[in-house]
Amino acid sequence: MAALKHRRTALERVEKFLSETYFTDCNLRGRLFGDRCPPASLSCFQTPRRIPYDEAVRQEFTPAKVGDSFGPTWETCWFKVELSIPLAWAGREVHFIWESDGEGMVWCDAQPVQGLTKEGEKTSYILTSSLKETEPHSLTLYVELACNGLFGAGKGSMIAPPDPDRRFTLSKAELVVFNRDVYELLVDLEILLGMAQFLGEENQRSFQALYTANQMINVCDVTDPSTFPAARDLAAAIFSQRNGESQHTIHAMGHCHIDSAWLWPYEETIRKCARSWVTVVRLMECNPELTFTCSQAQQFEWVRSWYPGLYAQIQDFVAKGQFIPVGGTWVEMDGNLPSGESMVRQFLQGQQFFQEQFGRICSEFWLPDTFGYSAQLPQLMRGCGIRRFLTQKLSWNLVNTFPHHTFFWEGIDGSRVLTHFPPGDSYEMHGQVEEMLKTVKNNKDKGRVNHSALLFGFGDGGGGPTQKMLDRIKRMSDTDGLPRVQISTPDRLFSVLEKESSQLCTWVGELFLELHNGTYTTQAQIKKGNRECERILHDVEVLSTLALARSGMFQYPASQLQRLWRLLLLNQFHDVLPGSCIQLVVEDALQYYAEIRRAGAQLQEEAVQSLCGDLLQPKAGSAESTLVLNTLPWERTEVISRTGPAETETLALVTVPSMGYAIVREPLLPAQPVAVRKREDGSIAMENGVIAVCLDMMGRLTSLRLVDSERESVPDGCYANQFALFDDVPLYWDAWDVMDYHLETRKPVTTLLKPLEITLAGGLRGSASFSLRIGKSSTLTQEIILDAACPYLRFLTQVEWKEAHKFLKVEFPVQVRSTNATYEIQFGHLQRPTHYNTSWDWARFEVWAHKWLDLSEHCFGVALLNDCKYGASAHRNVLSLSLLRAPKSPDATADIAHHQFTYAVMPHRGSFQEAGVIQCAYNLNFPLHAVAASSAQCPAWSAFSVSSPAVVLETVKQAEDRPEAVVVRLYEAHGSTVVAWLQTSLPVKEAMLCDLLERPAARGCLPLEQQGVRLSFTPFHVLSILLVLRQ
């Protein structure tokens, strides 16, 4: 009979019928499991190491029981579980249930078979779907339990430093009968409840779903499974009512974002990959329609090395099109801080790996969780065979809502890629009604496209999709009132979006994340390691390539370089290079940089030995001279330090040709030596004929002039090189965020420990030093250096940093007026406003740059150069460089250390392009190499030069799969259209254009002419050229 229904009571009736907490004695949820029985025996053994299975099973196991706890954090417990299934359970579905707050992996017959993680809703391993009498009723499993949770072991909050003493409890280990009919009914009711709750009171369909669920409870007797089919028929009637043709289509794909390191070390990530991916493989065996997208070649390589059996299964599912490699990069790297060449190598190493292992490269770039995206990425993607991009991180913007979910993204050179942000603003959906409705409602491009992505599965710490998520999605495939949901692939999604793309908007320039801008500065030693190692690998490649071209005997160290590059690329992962990781990860990262420095120095020495061996042997009785090598593509005249007789350091002014070397016997005399003088008031003046500076006793610049024009850079009454300390307490994400309000807490650093004193009196180099107290307990010592003929003033800085929640910057107020400042990015530069007119402007109060930033008006400007810093800002006429932070989570010791870094200030006439700011920043970052040599006469030698100052020759390396060929990479750095000649003294017999994966371009052959190879560039264009050498 018809009965009145109150919406709220009906909703709550359904909720309670499904509840895990209330009325489980009489509701449906309480019937999910039938009979239970404990394991026949349970024993364990504990180790501080992560050991392989065959070593673990040989250990001595001692008895264990449910309720025992294990630890401390990062230890591993191996459990031997002997099971005996009761004969009475014949015909039933039997699961092994395991619940613990650690991360578990089941091993059976020496192979990993299932991940077990309570936080990832995976607590059961299916032993049989219908127990046959002929099946063995006794079996032995091993469970490998990591003493850490899905998100590490933060003490008190997720991102707090790990608690070293945490214990992990085994709360359940048992055999159970699983009632599949109860499970199916629960999922039906869950979907109907979701429709009733989230379609809203004004929606007819909401009430249809609610009344159907209510009626299902009426017909369902939980003690009598024979009543279940009638209840399920009611649900099926609702699910089978179809949508209209115009309904939005959601492309659902399994996904499992695994941070390569974050709140756990790299080594634990290897096991996270295995736990997550083996679970996906099990799901695929039962659900042939399931697709799973998986990025990061490094993680595939880890599983290939550590779990070959699992890897073979993954290869099978890749071949079937279910397990889908995406992204094309070695790791999901930070999108701001790696150099242009590093980004190329992320794609080169990644795409090469996917090609070798799976026979194809990825066609979409996949970077869902990175803290902003450089405006050079579209060109780099296109150069690596990728025209599609997926992320969602801009949904985290603190200030402005990004206006699109599907759009074309255009980089600084004009390259465009089709970009999609899943409109549900997440990469870890659970397949629930609410998420499907949010995906449609939230879509900012309604009317332009009618398809979008939904990525489902637990993520960050791994986990991945579950059977329940899939079962929910199946019920929503085409149900009136909900969007259509189909299990799909990235290719299927992007193919339809391409067909629908005629109405899409275009976003030009960087995708700046308005959050996490402390990550440009946190963990300064990681930032420095990255910049240094990028330089080391550049120099080793240049010198090894020159050695290879000059000598048939030299073996190019291709495999060693690949190993070192992969270490560097791994550390560019988006929680390592940004500094948002725990102390264990920082230690690993610094160790990898140390290894690159060590091995790189050795490789460089071998290349120089081969290239210049005959010049390096001192002849008996002859005066020593110095061999100076230049790895940059322009001639340089600089002051170098060389080791003279009796190990004394002496200075010399030298000129070295581009990408080559010179023997220096008698150093040059400067046209104008550096003059240093102390004034009566304690200030010090320095001048070198190019710039003249005046410094007060605290090392601040009161004057910085260009000598030839008398143009002053420092405004009256202002101090440049002024240190400032800010309170730095973000809202939550400690290592990640610096908030806008930190700017209100500025305190200039004015406590002098040692006033400015002259340390070098002039000639080739003048310098002065001073020391300051910073905050409560930190000290800063700086040597301010002016070299002969040098257009910039250097600040060699040492800091003993012991602060907590403070931010140190150095400021340069300058006498320049401009509404935009220019910042170097990968293979180019971009402008950002110096004002806070709009919310989009002031949200960029702290930004990132690479080797330089510049503020210029017509005919004059001032640039700040640096050798390892990334955080910066320019507001009105003040240029700031961010030096050090002191967050306490997730690493309580972050940045508490000794730091050394150099920055420089460069006033200039004309534009920064004409003044050579770009070249000067390279010179600061790539010092000349001086080696003791014999006094043999030897003409200077140059391997490469470029005719235009607008074009930078960035990379010289051996081709990946053609040992007789060399790849050179050049880019247009000024933002101009230009023709340039590449000249080389190497024995080149053929030149051709290639892409960033070193595949020759169609019709890409370049004629070799007297002046070299003629190259045409448009603004910020990156060109790669394959040069085949004569043997």
Side-chain angles (χ1 to χ4, degrees):
M1 70 166 207
L4 287 172
K5 290 182 187 64
H6 182 251
R7 182 175 168 87
R8 184 184 147 192
T9 57
L11 278 170
E12 285 207 24
R13 181 190 189 198
V14 181
E15 283 173 1
K16 295 299 187 288
F17 196 61
L18 306 179
S19 173
E20 289 179 30
T21 311
Y22 302 103
F23 305 112
T24 52
D25 59 326
C26 58
N27 74 2
L28 185 63
R29 176 80 61 184
R31 303 286 162 165
L32 185 57
F33 298 113
D35 293 342
R36 301 163 186 264
C37 88
S41 108
L42 183 66
S43 54
C44 84
F45 118 88
Q46 189 168 323
T47 167
R49 294 186 305 123
R50 298 174 177 92
I51 60 174
Y53 171 87
D54 46 0
E55 185 184 335
V57 295
R58 293 198 308 269
Q59 306 304 313
E60 194 163 318
F61 285 73
T62 56
K65 62 185 188 300
V66 170
D68 286 354
S69 62
F70 306 89
T73 312
W74 310 125
E75 296 254 320
T76 299
C77 295
W78 283 84
F79 292 86
K80 185 176 184 180
V81 188
E82 293 179 30
L83 301 171
S84 181
I85 305 173
L87 294 170
W89 290 6
R92 309 304 301 271
E93 180 170 338
V94 181
H95 290 197
F96 169 56
I97 299 279
W98 178 277
E99 284 186 19
S100 152
D101 41 7
E103 288 192 86
M105 167 107 94
V106 185
W107 291 77
C108 185
D109 300 330
Q111 286 300 321
V113 290
Q114 167 85 49
L116 290 176
T117 306
K118 192 173 177 182
E119 295 160 284
E121 292 182 7
K122 293 178 191 68
T123 55
S124 66
Y125 172 53
I126 301 174
L127 296 174
T128 173
S129 56
S130 176
L131 182 65
K132 297 180 183 61
E133 285 185 17
T134 52
E135 281 182 78
H137 282 48
S138 295
L139 73 160
T140 300
L141 301 176
Y142 286 88
V143 178
E144 176 189 12
L145 184 74
C147 291
N148 52 263
L150 207 52
F151 292 92
K155 189 171 186 173
S157 83
M158 180 180 80
I159 62 164
D163 176 356
D165 304 314
R166 184 181 293 188
R167 310 286 294 175
F168 294 81
T169 304
L170 174 59
S171 47
K172 238 180 224 181
E174 60 188 10
L175 286 172
V176 300
V177 170
F178 182 78
N179 293 322
R180 178 68 55 183
D181 50 357
V182 172
Y183 166 82
E184 297 292 357
L185 196 50
L186 283 170
V187 180
D188 287 346
L189 282 161
E190 246 184 56
I191 299 293
L192 292 170
L193 178 62
M195 290 172 72
Q197 284 173 321
F198 298 109
L199 284 172
E201 285 191 51
E202 65 289 348
N203 192 308
Q204 151 86 357
R205 192 73 171 148
S206 161
F207 285 90
Q208 291 175 352
L210 177 60
Y211 292 173
T212 300
N214 187 71
Q215 184 58 21
M216 287 167 70
I217 298 173
N218 292 338
V219 303
C220 179
D221 175 355
V222 297
T223 63
D224 178 7
S226 69
T227 63
F228 296 175
R232 291 213 64 202
D233 288 345
L234 291 169
I238 287 275
F239 297 146
S240 62
Q241 290 175 317
R242 298 285 172 246
N243 266 303
E245 281 180 30
S246 69
Q247 186 58 271
H248 188 88
T249 301
I250 290 175
H251 293 250
M253 302 167 226
H255 189 248
C256 177
H257 181 63
I258 303 179
D259 287 317
S260 290
W262 179 29
L263 304 173
W264 53 86
Y266 285 129
E267 229 183 43
E268 191 54 45
T269 308
I270 299 172
R271 300 200 295 190
K272 283 178 175 286
C273 293
R275 290 190 283 262
S276 303
W277 297 359
V278 76
T279 306
V280 168
V281 165
R282 288 294 83 78
L283 282 175
M284 285 178 175
E285 289 168 349
C286 308
N287 303 272
E289 75 284 1
L290 171 63
T291 60
F292 178 73
T293 56
C294 192
S295 67
Q296 309 197 70
Q298 170 70 80
Q299 294 184 2
F300 282 91
E301 174 58 28
W302 279 333
V303 171
R304 190 176 79 91
S305 307
W306 289 84
Y307 301 92
L310 169 59
Y311 190 73
Q313 295 172 51
I314 288 169
Q315 283 181 304
D316 290 344
F317 282 108
V318 170
K320 288 178 184 161
Q322 286 181 261
F323 202 111
I324 304 168
V326 292
T329 49
W330 189 247
V331 294
E332 287 188 15
M333 73 279 194
D334 181 78
N336 302 322
L337 310 187
S339 69
E341 190 57 34
S342 286
M343 285 190 164
V344 170
R345 300 308 174 91
Q346 287 284 358
F347 285 107
L348 182 62
Q349 289 296 326
Q351 293 284 52
Q352 251 183 346
F353 179 90
F354 291 126
Q355 181 67 52
E356 282 166 19
Q357 293 295 314
F358 306 118
R360 60 169 180 268
I361 63 172
C362 302
S363 58
E364 53 288 298
F365 185 33
W366 199 270
L367 209 53
D369 191 32
T370 290
F371 315 147
Y373 304 89
S374 162
Q376 191 55 283
L377 274 167
Q379 179 176 200
L380 302 185
M381 286 183 232
R382 296 286 296 240
C384 296
I386 290 175
R387 289 162 181 253
R388 302 157 163 184
F389 175 43
L390 181 139
T391 181
Q392 62 81 48
K393 197 66 179 184
L394 264 65
S395 66
W396 284 48
N397 270 8
L398 195 63
V399 182
N400 298 285
T401 302
F402 193 79
H404 302 293
H405 280 106
T406 307
F407 59 100
F408 284 106
W409 179 25
E410 186 176 302
I412 54 173
D413 72 310
S415 296
R416 294 169 74 193
V417 289
L418 177 59
T419 301
H420 182 68
F421 298 173
D425 292 343
S426 169
Y427 50 74
E428 39 180 347
M429 295 295 205
H430 294 169
Q432 289 164 333
V433 170
E434 182 183 9
E435 298 164 346
M436 305 302 166
L437 295 173
K438 180 182 178 183
T439 294
V440 177
K441 184 179 176 184
N442 203 33
N443 179 16
K444 301 268 188 306
D445 297 280
K446 295 181 188 79
R448 299 181 201 280
V449 287
N450 208 15
H451 292 258
S452 61
L454 179 133
L455 307 179
F456 64 94
F458 288 92
D460 291 338
T466 65
Q467 183 65 52
K468 187 175 235 183
M469 294 175 191
L470 259 173
D471 291 334
R472 289 172 185 146
I473 286 167
K474 286 175 193 171
R475 284 163 171 77
M476 291 187 273
S477 62
D478 190 1
T479 292
D480 189 22
L482 298 179
R484 273 194 193 84
V485 188
Q486 57 188 42
I487 299 289
S488 186
T489 66
D491 184 57
R492 245 179 273 156
L493 167 71
F494 278 107
S495 296
V496 254
L497 293 178
E498 280 161 359
K499 287 197 186 85
E500 293 185 351
S501 65
S502 63
Q503 297 299 307
L504 291 179
C505 301
T506 298
W507 180 271
V508 179
E510 67 183 328
L511 293 173
F512 184 85
L513 178 65
E514 298 173 356
L515 196 71
H516 292 0
N517 28 12
T519 59
Y520 318 146
T521 307
T522 304
Q523 299 286 10
Q525 286 174 316
I526 289 181
K527 309 291 195 276
K528 182 174 183 172
N530 180 68
R531 184 81 64 87
E532 266 185 34
C533 291
E534 286 177 337
R535 180 199 79 223
I536 288 165
L537 295 181
H538 168 275
D539 286 359
V540 169
E541 287 184 335
V542 168
L543 295 167
S544 298
T545 307
L546 303 193
L548 175 73
R550 291 281 293 272
S551 156
M553 303 304 294
F554 181 76
Q555 277 278 284
Y556 188 89
S559 60
Q560 296 100 304
L561 276 167
Q562 181 184 66
R563 180 179 77 86
L564 299 179
W565 265 112
R566 285 180 170 185
L567 284 179
L568 178 62
L569 299 177
L570 174 56
N571 274 353
Q572 289 173 346
F573 178 74
H574 67 251
D575 279 306
V576 181
L577 179 51
S580 47
C581 52
I582 60 171
Q583 185 179 355
L584 276 176
V585 179
V586 176
E587 288 165 5
D588 282 346
L590 295 180
Q591 212 176 325
Y592 291 166
Y593 292 133
E595 170 58 14
I596 296 169
R597 288 186 186 106
R598 184 201 64 75
Q602 191 183 336
L603 292 177
Q604 183 171 306
E605 198 177 311
E606 288 164 13
V608 172
Q609 195 65 46
S610 170
L611 184 62
C612 315
D614 45 347
L615 303 173
L616 301 180
Q617 308 308 321
K619 305 286 181 287
S622 69
E624 279 208 349
S625 48
T626 306
L627 172 73
V628 186
L629 299 114
N630 173 17
T631 57
L632 293 179
W634 43 78
E635 182 182 273
R636 295 163 70 177
T637 298
E638 288 176 28
V639 175
I640 61 160
S641 178
R642 57 177 180 165
T643 308
E647 297 300 303
T648 53
E649 290 281 314
T650 58
L651 298 175
L653 182 63
V654 300
T655 294
V656 194
S658 73
M659 277 203 183
Y661 58 76
I663 287 273
V664 179
R665 296 177 71 189
E666 293 304 315
L668 305 170
L669 288 171
Q672 189 160 348
V674 180
V676 183
R677 66 178 195 281
K678 186 160 188 172
R679 296 175 170 166
E680 284 177 14
D681 60 1
S683 65
I684 290 174
M686 293 197 266
E687 189 177 322
N688 68 355
V690 186
I691 55 177
V693 306
C694 190
L695 301 155
D696 73 3
M697 287 170 65
M698 294 175 62
R700 301 178 299 189
L701 289 172
T702 53
S703 171
L704 171 62
R705 288 181 299 112
L706 284 174
V707 170
D708 61 354
S709 68
E710 285 294 309
R711 174 70 154 82
E712 177 58 68
S713 307
V714 181
D716 281 351
C718 292
Y719 300 106
N721 198 39
Q722 169 72 64
F723 294 98
L725 198 62
F726 299 81
D727 294 343
D728 187 14
V729 186
L731 299 174
Y732 176 68
W733 296 101
D734 199 358
W736 292 259
D737 286 350
V738 56
M739 309 310 296
D740 51 348
Y741 52 76
H742 87 284
L743 295 168
E744 301 172 43
T745 66
R746 176 182 180 275
K747 293 179 187 66
V749 176
T750 54
T751 310
L752 196 57
L753 292 177
K754 191 167 138 284
L756 190 71
E757 288 294 344
I758 295 172
T759 40
L760 284 174
L764 289 178
R765 175 173 290 168
S767 71
S769 299
F770 66 95
S771 297
L772 297 172
R773 155 73 36 85
I774 298 183
K776 292 206 168 61
S777 45
S778 304
T779 54
L780 177 146
T781 301
Q782 194 169 64
E783 186 181 10
I784 301 175
I785 304 163
L786 184 62
D787 280 351
C790 184
Y792 53 80
L793 182 68
R794 277 188 295 146
F795 302 86
L796 174 58
T797 315
Q798 318 251 4
V799 184
E800 282 296 337
W801 184 245
K802 298 173 183 172
E803 298 307 301
H805 288 124
K806 297 292 181 194
F807 196 157
L808 179 67
K809 304 186 189 186
V810 65
E811 299 169 346
F812 285 80
V814 293
Q815 209 159 298
V816 176
R817 180 162 177 77
S818 175
T819 54
N820 286 295
T822 309
Y823 301 81
E824 189 193 38
I825 67 165
Q826 297 82 357
F827 297 135
H829 57 260
L830 50 70
Q831 294 195 319
R832 300 184 182 112
T834 57
H835 54 73
Y836 295 164
N837 279 2
T838 70
S839 59
W840 293 87
D841 300 329
W842 73 253
R844 288 184 278 179
F845 58 85
E846 175 79 5
V847 296
W848 59 274
H850 281 204
K851 299 183 289 291
W852 57 269
L853 63 147
D854 179 88
L855 189 66
S856 288
E857 58 190 46
H858 182 59
C859 282
F860 180 78
V862 179
L864 268 189
L865 324 176
N866 75 82
D867 73 350
C868 62
K869 297 298 170 192
Y870 295 93
S873 63
H875 184 228
R876 305 190 73 86
N877 69 325
V878 179
L879 296 174
S880 290
L881 198 61
S882 299
L883 303 177
L884 293 167
R885 292 188 71 217
K888 297 296 161 197
S889 292
D891 174 6
T893 66
D895 286 312
I896 304 305
H898 176 82
H899 298 272
Q900 180 176 320
F901 49 86
T902 295
Y903 55 89
V905 63
M906 178 176 168
H908 58 83
R909 287 179 67 178
S911 66
F912 69 84
Q913 291 98 327
E914 295 156 350
V917 164
I918 297 166
Q919 284 78 2
C920 286
Y922 270 97
N923 294 351
L924 183 71
N925 278 269
F926 292 80
L928 295 168
H929 299 284
V931 189
S934 70
S935 59
Q937 284 295 324
C938 162
W941 178 74
S942 164
F944 288 100
S945 60
V946 184
S947 65
S948 166
V951 174
V952 175
L953 169 53
E954 175 79 16
T955 304
V956 176
K957 65 183 283 289
Q958 185 185 51
E960 291 293 308
D961 45 11
R962 291 184 70 170
E964 82 291 359
V966 168
V967 168
V968 295
R969 190 157 13 263
L970 310 95
Y971 72 95
E972 196 290 318
H974 285 182
S976 61
T977 298
V978 66
V979 169
W981 291 89
L982 172 68
Q983 291 109 1
T984 180
S985 58
L986 304 191
V988 174
K989 69 173 182 187
E990 200 184 340
M992 64 194 90
L993 292 170
C994 62
D995 68 5
L996 298 177
L997 301 181
E998 304 183 9
R999 302 176 296 188
R1003 299 186 299 285
C1005 213
L1006 297 166
L1008 299 171
E1009 301 180 47
Q1010 193 60 48
Q1011 294 155 275
V1013 180
R1014 183 179 188 274
L1015 302 171
S1016 298
F1017 291 86
T1018 50
F1020 307 121
H1021 188 50
V1022 179
L1023 270 187
S1024 302
I1025 295 144
L1026 211 52
L1027 301 174
V1028 184
L1029 303 180
R1030 283 197 297 277
Q1031 293 299 302

